[in-house]
């Protein structure tokens, strides 16, 4: 073999090696890009334990309806309470429409969200209890931070996000946002009633409608059997709230026999 032929073969071998290395680098780069793309697409911004669901409709600020595991389920947002807009025995409360509209703006029908459970999965009305994650953000926390809800119904602490939610409420309160812009409106057990002409508080409303021996206003915040020490106290409250013709607090359960909270002493 002459020197020219040998040199050509050497150059061809080197060229093939370079091309092979370039192809390998290109393949690795493409693989890395695909992995990055796949990671980005699978990232949902919600905790790993959160489960996928689809928005069916928004009922009000703190209650939504989702499609979850093939069924339509009501969801009560965990640890938040927004003013009423659809309660059967209460008027629309200040900032209730704002809370409801905010939820509707965030949660469109058919949209995919994630629900995170924390403690008991259902309440005594058989509604799911959880945090709703939308575009990587906790809706419960957003409502509190904007002053559209109060931190409430803390039945089974500690909760995973309780500190973050409390800080969100503190921010709204210190900046007098939403519900915190009305002095005396937010109470320890709900929202004070407001009359059209004088801004009467819930206490004044209670004196007019009559409170039960439990001290709870029958026209006030939603109550359940755990709020009462005895069946007799729950029964009295039930009657003052309109029972048995009406049961706005849904204390009578599914049997509808007119005797409420029968498990209480």
């Amino acid at each position: 073999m002459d020197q020219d032929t040998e040199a050509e073969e050497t150059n061809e071998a080197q060229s093939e090696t370079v091309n092979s290395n370039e192809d390998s680098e290109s393949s690795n780069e493409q693989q890395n890009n695909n992995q990055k793309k796949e990671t980005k697409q699978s990232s949902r911004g919600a905790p790993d334990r959160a489960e996928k669901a689809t928005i069916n409709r928004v009922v009000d600020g703190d209650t939504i309806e989702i499609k979850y595991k093939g069924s339509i389920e009501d969801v009560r947002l965990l640890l938040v309470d927004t003013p009423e807009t659809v309660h059967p025995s209460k008027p629309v409360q200040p900032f209730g429409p704002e809370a409801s509209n905010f939820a509707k703006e965030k949660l469109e029908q058919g949209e995919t969200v994630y629900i995170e459970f924390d403690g008991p999965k259902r309440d005594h009305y058989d509604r799911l209890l959880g945090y709703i994650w939308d575009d990587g953000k906790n809706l419960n926390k957003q409502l509190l931070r904007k002053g559209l809800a109060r931190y409430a119904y803390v039945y089974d602490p500690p909760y995973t996000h309780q500190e973050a939610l409390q800080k969100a409420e503190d921010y709204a309160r210190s900046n007098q946002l939403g519900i915190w812009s009305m002095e005396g409106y937010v109470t320890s057990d709900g929202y004070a009633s407001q009359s059209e002409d004088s801004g009467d508080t819930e206490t004044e409303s209670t004196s007019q409608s009559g409170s039960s021996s439990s001290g709870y206003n029958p026209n006030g915040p939603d109550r359940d059997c755990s709020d009462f020490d005895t069946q007799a106290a729950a029964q009295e409250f039930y009657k003052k709230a309109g029972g048995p013709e009406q049961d706005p607090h849904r204390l009578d359960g599914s049997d509808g026999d007119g005797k409420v909270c029968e498990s209480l002493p």
Side-chain angles (χ1 to χ4, degrees):
M1 179 183 297
D2 59 33
Q3 292 182 346
D4 290 340
T5 302
E6 184 177 355
E8 287 178 4
E9 290 181 351
T10 300
N11 289 337
E12 288 177 0
Q14 290 175 342
S15 177
E16 288 177 0
T17 300
V18 170
N19 290 337
S20 176
N21 289 337
E22 288 177 349
D23 290 342
S24 178
E25 289 175 0
S26 177
S27 176
N28 290 336
E29 183 178 357
Q30 182 65 36
Q31 185 176 359
N32 289 336
N33 288 338
N34 289 339
Q35 288 176 344
K36 289 179 181 178
K37 184 177 181 181
E38 183 178 349
T39 300
K40 184 177 180 181
Q41 289 174 340
S42 63
S43 176
R44 60 191 189 178
D48 290 341
R49 67 177 183 175
E51 300 180 44
K52 191 174 182 179
T54 304
I55 295 297
N56 192 52
R57 71 184 181 103
V58 172
V59 178
D60 65 4
D62 55 26
T63 308
I64 65 173
E65 199 175 79
I66 63 171
K67 186 174 183 180
Y68 171 71
K69 293 187 175 181
S71 299
I72 300 298
E73 298 270 12
D74 287 331
V75 178
R76 182 66 168 75
L77 299 186
L78 188 62
L79 300 180
V80 300
D81 176 36
T82 63
E84 297 290 351
T85 59
V86 295
H87 196 283
S89 64
K90 296 180 185 177
V92 174
Q93 296 176 317
F95 293 100
E98 288 85 345
S100 182
N101 289 337
F102 179 78
K104 289 176 181 177
E105 289 172 5
K106 293 294 181 181
L107 307 176
E108 297 181 359
Q109 186 177 29
E111 178 184 354
T112 296
V113 295
Y114 292 88
I115 181 169
E116 178 187 2
F117 301 108
D118 193 9
K121 192 172 182 178
R122 294 182 182 273
D123 66 7
H124 59 285
Y125 301 128
D126 202 37
R127 298 176 298 189
L128 294 174
L129 293 169
Y131 312 103
I132 292 295
W133 292 86
D134 172 54
D135 289 335
K137 295 181 180 179
N138 185 321
L139 179 66
N140 309 46
K141 179 181 174 181
Q142 288 180 291
L143 286 164
L144 289 166
R145 187 174 174 82
K146 288 185 173 293
L148 298 176
R150 68 186 185 99
Y151 182 74
Y153 304 122
V154 186
Y155 295 134
D156 191 34
Y159 292 93
T160 304
H161 303 293
Q162 67 180 37
E163 184 176 351
L165 297 186
Q166 287 172 321
K167 286 182 178 179
E169 183 189 58
D170 289 343
Y171 173 85
R173 184 193 294 112
S174 63
N175 287 280
Q176 297 185 332
L177 301 178
I179 59 176
W180 303 104
S181 65
M182 299 173 61
E183 185 176 356
Y185 178 46
V186 183
T187 69
S188 60
D189 59 358
Y191 299 95
S193 299
Q194 305 289 312
S195 69
E196 293 183 1
D197 53 356
S198 61
D200 294 332
T201 64
E202 184 180 9
T203 302
E204 293 169 334
S205 175
T206 301
S207 66
Q208 295 171 0
S209 60
S211 63
S212 66
S213 60
S214 65
Y216 297 140
N217 178 7
N219 298 316
D222 194 28
R223 297 294 174 188
D224 58 48
C225 292
S226 64
D227 290 319
F228 303 95
D229 294 327
T230 65
Q231 192 278 329
Q235 190 72 28
E236 180 191 356
F237 177 84
Y238 165 72
K239 289 181 178 179
K240 285 187 175 293
E245 290 78 13
Q246 299 181 59
D247 186 17
H249 299 272
R250 299 175 291 279
L251 296 174
D252 196 11
S254 59
D255 56 11
D257 63 356
K259 187 174 182 180
V260 305
C261 304
E262 297 175 65
S263 62
L264 291 177

